[in-house]
Structure formats: structure tokens, C-alpha cells
Amino acid sequence: MNTTLSTYFFNEANRYIPGGVNSPVRAFKSVAGNPIFIERGLGSKFYDVDKNEYIDYIGSWGPHLLGHNPQFIKEALFEAVENGVSFGTPTELEVKIAKVIIDMVPSIEKVRMVNSGTEATMSAIRLARGFTKKDKIIKFEGCYHGHADSFLIKAGSGALTLGVPTSHGVTINTSKDTLIGDYNNLNTVKNLILKNKDHVAAIIIEPIAGNMGVVPADKSFIKGLRTICDEEDIVLIFDEVMSGFRVAKGGAQELFGIKPDLTTLGKIIGGGLPVGAFGGKKEIMDLVAPSGPVYQAGTLSGNPLAMSAGLAVLNYLKENPGVYKTLEESSSYLANGFKDNLKKIKKNFAFNRVGSMMCMFFTEEKVTDFKTALKSDTLVYGRYFHEMLKKGVYFAPSQFEAIFISTAHTKEDLDKTIKAQDEALSAIYKK
Ligand SMILES: *Cc1c(COP(=O)(O)O)cnc(C)c1O
């Protein structure tokens, strides 16, 4: 595989950009080696600066449910550009996208557009605090909610009940307000609430975790959270930045049949442009400025280009509900191919999948939370990743990410991927 230009650009990038990238996981640090610089994408594939072709399974980390650069999104963008790219005034597009989101996501009655998933979750917890007039939040180990200070916290060791920052620059005082529960473990949540009676404003969760690999929540766990939140006047926030419009038209909440109080969205709703949103119950959302006292703002929020691309995608999904059946069929086909390959090497590796997001862990233990996810042999994952890359299949350059299937992945792509995986696994586990 020729990577001359990618290597050249990465060396250049390192001179001007911290770590050579604008978001850490792109740098291939956890799989070793240098990142590939991509030049263009179309459908299920993208192409690097050295003209190598890859079947892409990251889909820009989630947004490209319909593959790269669909014609109808391009057309929506061209039309928007003709009219001007930003006004800083209300536009009809914003009303349209709000209506579609409310129509599709069961629990959302009002919605505010922002520019990233991070902004959405950060604003949602401020709103939950404003609504409940309480300070603390509960999050779960292994869930990712963007890079706001409040979320860069992990559990303290041993008997310590206080969280500790996972990043330099996050203050101890911030970490005091973030309590950490274990995913799929209701007792840890009950204990935290008991110890912090009347201080917990919100529980935030990825109802289908996609940032420790793919780890779905048990329905009983999600139901339990709903009950606890009702009893204790806690705002339940589903972070559906990844699962929203990915696992179903109405996200994970539609699959579970459970309504959170607030939902955060991103990724797919921007059609590949920088967008996020948070929404939920009217009585809570009406506290957001200017209708209420919880401040939130954005110069480029509701940007016409982003709204046009997002609206095009959401309208498409609304008018073509068959998309989710197609995705399920391709995804189960791929997953079954992977599982057959595992049988050949006599490994019973943990394999989690919800619709078109899936993840294989290099451990035979069942993966149900962060602790079990960490059992995966990440060194082997690194080898696996590079073997696949050499064969023209681009998986996430980290064990703890999902791979995503789009409607653009053809049977030929999937067969090629299954064959490549078979070869990669036998190369790694050869006798
Ligand atoms: C990607 C992601 C975020 C952060 O979104 P950004 O747009 O990267 O800020 C938050 N929560 C979840 C569940 C995500 O997958």
C-alpha cells in the first residue's frame, strides 16, 4: 500500500496542528502508525491522497447513514449556497427542521439547534440544572458525551465516591458535580442517588453506547432509570448524538419504548455538516433563553447550509422508512459473515450489534459495560485494523468505536469485507 503522500501530509500537519489532527482518534495513536489522508468520498467508499480505495465503515464517525456525498444532499447544499451561507436571523429552514425532528423523535416537543454534539450535551445539562435547581449529574463509565469539562470525569479509585478529571485542565471542583455509575448496573445509580439525595439534576446516558465499542443497554436498566428519575425529580437525558436516526427513525428511545425528558442529537441530523441539537419536554425547553432564564446561544446555530443538508436527510428518512430494514439486512449479513469467520479460527469473541452499528471485541467474555469492554486485547485490534486497511477496508482506528454500515454498502462491498476479515484473522491467528 503506497502511503507516500499521506505520510508527507502528516509530517507537515504535525508542524502546524497539535498531533497533526483536528480530533484525537483520527491520529491512529491507539492502533499505532500514521493516519491516511482522505481526498474524496462517494457512496460506500473513500479515496486517499495516494489514490488508494477503501470501503469505509466509519462514515465520518456516524453521520453518513446514506453513504458519502449523496446527490440529493449535494443539490440541497448547492441551492442553499445560492441564497447565501449565513444570515444570523431566523430562517424558514429552521422551522422546517424543528418540525421534522419533533415529528420523528417520540419525546421531543421543542428543539434548539446547535453546532456539535458537545454543544448539545453541554447545554442539556445546564438546562437540567436550571430546571431542577440542583447541581450534580450522573454519567456512566465508558459513555462519551463530547468534550465539555463536566463529562471528562471518571470514577475515583476504590472507596472514593468522587469523580476525578480524565483531562488536564478540568478542575477538581467541576469533577465534584459529576457522579459516575456503571453501565447496565442500576444499583450503582441507586447508591449514588442515596449518597447525594436531592442533589442530582440529571442522569445522562447513551442508551446504546457507541463510544466504548458498541454496548447496548438492557431494557430493564433503561426502564429502571426512567422510574428512578420520576421518583427523584431527576431529568433523564438520552444522548442520542450517535444512535439518533441510526438505530431507528426515532432513535434508541423508539426501540426501547421509553421517553427521556431531554434528548441530544448530532451526527446524522447534519448530513455531514457540523450540527447538534437538544430537545424534549416543552416545560423544560421553555426555560431556554430567550423564553426562559437558562442561557444558550450560537452565532452560526441553525446555519442555512447545515439545516439544508440535515433537512434533506431527515426528509429522506421520513419518506423512506424502508431504509432501516435495508440497513438491518446488510448489517446482519455482514455480522453473520464475521461470525462464520470467527468459527473458523475457533474464537468466540464478543460481538455486539444494534442495527447498523456493531463492534467486535478481542475477548471471549460478554461485553456489557466499560470494565468488560476493557478486556479486549487492543494490541491485537491494532494488528487487525492494519490488516483490514491493507486490504482496502477502513474500520475505526480504535477498538472502542463502532463500525457503521450505510445504505450505500453493496453486497459486493460486504462480501469483500468478509473475505478480507477472514484473511486478516487467519494471518493473526495462524498456527
Ligand atoms: C459524537 C458524540 C458526541 C459529541 O459530538 P461532537 O459533534 O463530536 O461534539 C456526544 N455524544 C455522543 C454519544 C457521540 O457519539
Side-chain angles (χ1 to χ4, degrees), residues 248-361:
K249 177 172 88 54
Q253 54 195 271
E254 181 186 306
L255 293 186
F256 284 117
I258 302 260
K259 284 186 182 176
D261 302 303
L262 294 177
T263 301
T264 55
L265 297 167
K267 302 201 165 115
I268 289 173
I269 60 163
L273 277 83
V275 181
F278 63 103
K281 283 188 180 153
K282 257 194 205 112
E283 62 167 329
I284 307 179
M285 289 305 293
D286 279 336
L287 292 188
V288 177
S291 58
V294 177
Y295 194 68
Q296 195 284 323
T299 302
L300 292 172
S301 293
N303 171 268
L305 292 193
M307 295 306 99
S308 299
L311 187 62
V313 172
L314 297 187
N315 277 335
Y316 182 91
L317 295 177
K318 208 176 131 183
E319 286 155 19
N320 298 278
V323 159
Y324 294 97
K325 194 167 160 263
T326 310
L327 285 168
E328 174 58 31
E329 282 164 7
S330 325
S331 305
S332 71
Y333 182 79
L334 185 66
N336 287 335
F338 287 170
K339 284 177 188 165
D340 288 342
N341 290 341
L342 285 176
K343 275 184 206 138
K344 287 191 211 164
I345 54 159
K346 298 194 169 57
K347 297 283 182 195
N348 189 23
F349 288 148
F351 193 98
N352 290 345
R353 176 176 80 87
V354 181
S356 59
M357 47 196 278
M358 67 176 80
C359 179
M360 184 174 103
F361 297 89

Side-chain angles (χ1 to χ4, degrees), residues 124-138 177 179 196 198-204 229 232-237 261:
I125 57 163
R126 182 184 304 138
L127 176 57
R129 285 167 166 156
F131 177 71
T132 58
K133 303 199 165 59
K134 297 187 277 188
D135 289 344
K136 294 187 192 292
I137 60 163
I138 294 177
D177 282 333
L179 311 169
N196 297 275
D198 299 326
H199 290 289
V200 179
I203 296 178
I204 184 166
C229 286
E232 303 283 335
D233 289 319
I234 294 169
V235 175
L236 180 60
I237 306 171
D261 302 303

